[in-house]
């Protein structure tokens, strides 16, 4: 049994997760406790509920992770925890637990940037070095492009100026009366959609100098397509299922066009030839297919982690091994950084 194991905690948003990963990136155990059922009736994550749920779930999740991994506390050499970005209350629960474990076990504490970890999921899944690369993080809270020199050096190239792609998926799903969480439900609805009935905007896509995204206008276009102007109670709308499918398909296509277009632009501008994609929306099959086609045409390499490593998990926190090897440990008074969305230059 492996004796140098890293224990990673992930509580940035609404998944309570832990994982045990060896230094050669073998995943010995991983548990993700979803809070979807708690947030469903609000059609979005309620920060206070999320933080309380993390408090209740973290210890059972930790126990179960170690049980599955078949390791004891004495085999844990490093404690890793996501400290940025995320919901303040949620981050605090994970960080306090990680500090306590670090102190009790006398093992180093390593902070994880959740967005960098999403990209690192591609490294873990690939089983080999993937740097340098362009990194696209496309999740519920973030849509950003990075130039990733190495696992410790990420440069922000651009990102959304309003909604994140996943947030737009979730909000449009609510307008269409689809179940929570909206992203997967909308993708399923889009399967029956007919192309050509609607044409939504592709904001900023034509701006060849800019690596930014904008999805809020797209959301408004959907709103007008299904309900017109004026006040609307989306919950009481009785929408024709074919209309829902057609709108979902065109919305998804518009988001995918923007994500693919800007990712390819980032590759062209930087001259890099490898794209790594992470975050919950990277689980979207249409996005995976279209990125695959675009990268093949451009003779670039595409790496996307399997869907369960795209949505929030603690396995990706194994990026902490890189910081550990570089001696980048945290003191016990390290704090959370909830809002660090646009790291300028190196985030090291
Ligand atoms: O990375 P993640 O699990 O949490 C954040 O860090 O935000 O991403 C969650 C987001 C949600 O907005 C969810 O609707 C979206 O990822 N998502 C999807 C799919 N699966 C999850 N969006 C589109 N298609 C999917 N298959
Ligand atoms: Zn995430």
């Amino acid at each position: 049994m492996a004796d140098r194991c890293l224990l990673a905690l992930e509580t940035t948003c609404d998944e309570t997760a832990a994982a045990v990963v060896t230094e050669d990136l073998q995943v010995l155990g991983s548990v993700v406790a979803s809070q979807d059922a708690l947030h469903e009736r609000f059609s979005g994550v309620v920060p206070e509920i999320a933080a309380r749920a993390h408090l209740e779930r973290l210890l059972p999740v930790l126990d179960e992770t170690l049980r599955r991994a078949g390791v004891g506390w004495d085999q844990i050499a490093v404690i890793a925890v996501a400290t940025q970005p995320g919901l303040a209350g949620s981050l605090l629960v994970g960080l306090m637990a990680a500090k306590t474990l670090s102190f009790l076990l006398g093992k180093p504490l390593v902070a994880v940037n959740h967005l960098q970890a999403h990209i690192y999921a591609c490294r873990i899944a690939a089983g080999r070095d993937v740097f340098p690369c362009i990194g696209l993080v496309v999740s519920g809270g973030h849509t950003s492009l990075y130039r990733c020199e190495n696992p410790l050096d990420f440069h922000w190239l651009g990102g959304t100026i309003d909604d994140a792609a996943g947030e737009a998926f979730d909000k449009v799903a609510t307008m269409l009366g689809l179940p929570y969480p909206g992203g997967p439900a909308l993708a399923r609805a889009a399967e029956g959609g007919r192309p050509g009935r609607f044409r939504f905007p592709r904001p900023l896509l034509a701006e060849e100098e800019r690596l930014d995204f904008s999805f809020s206008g797209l959301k408004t276009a959907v709103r007008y397509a299904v309900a017109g102007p004026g006040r609307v109670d989306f919950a009481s709308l009785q929408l024709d299922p074919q209309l829902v499918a057609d709108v979902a398909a065109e919305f998804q296509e518009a988001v995918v066009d923007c994500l693919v277009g800007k990712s390819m632009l980032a590759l062209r501008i930087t001259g890099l030839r490898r794209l790594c994609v992470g975050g919950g929306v990277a689980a979207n099959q249409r996005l995976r297919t279209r990125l695959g086609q675009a990268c093949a045409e451009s003779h670039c390499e595409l790496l996307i982690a399997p869907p369960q490593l795209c949505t929030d998990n603690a396995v990706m926190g194994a990026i902490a091994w890189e910081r550990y090897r570089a001696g980048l440990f945290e003191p016990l008074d390290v704090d959370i950084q909830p809002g660090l969305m646009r790291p300028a230059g190196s985030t090291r």
Side-chain angles (χ1 to χ4, degrees), residues 34-42 44 46 49-50 53 56-57 180:
S34 163
Q35 299 180 9
D36 283 350
L38 298 179
H39 302 288
E40 186 173 14
R41 71 190 170 105
F42 305 102
V46 182
I49 293 175
E56 288 169 10
R57 290 159 192 223
Y180 182 84

Side-chain angles (χ1 to χ4, degrees), residues 79 97-110 330 332:
I79 307 293
K99 283 182 181 180
T100 308
L101 289 172
S102 166
F103 179 72
L104 285 175
L105 301 173
K107 300 297 176 190
L109 178 67
V110 180
E330 304 300 329
L332 282 180

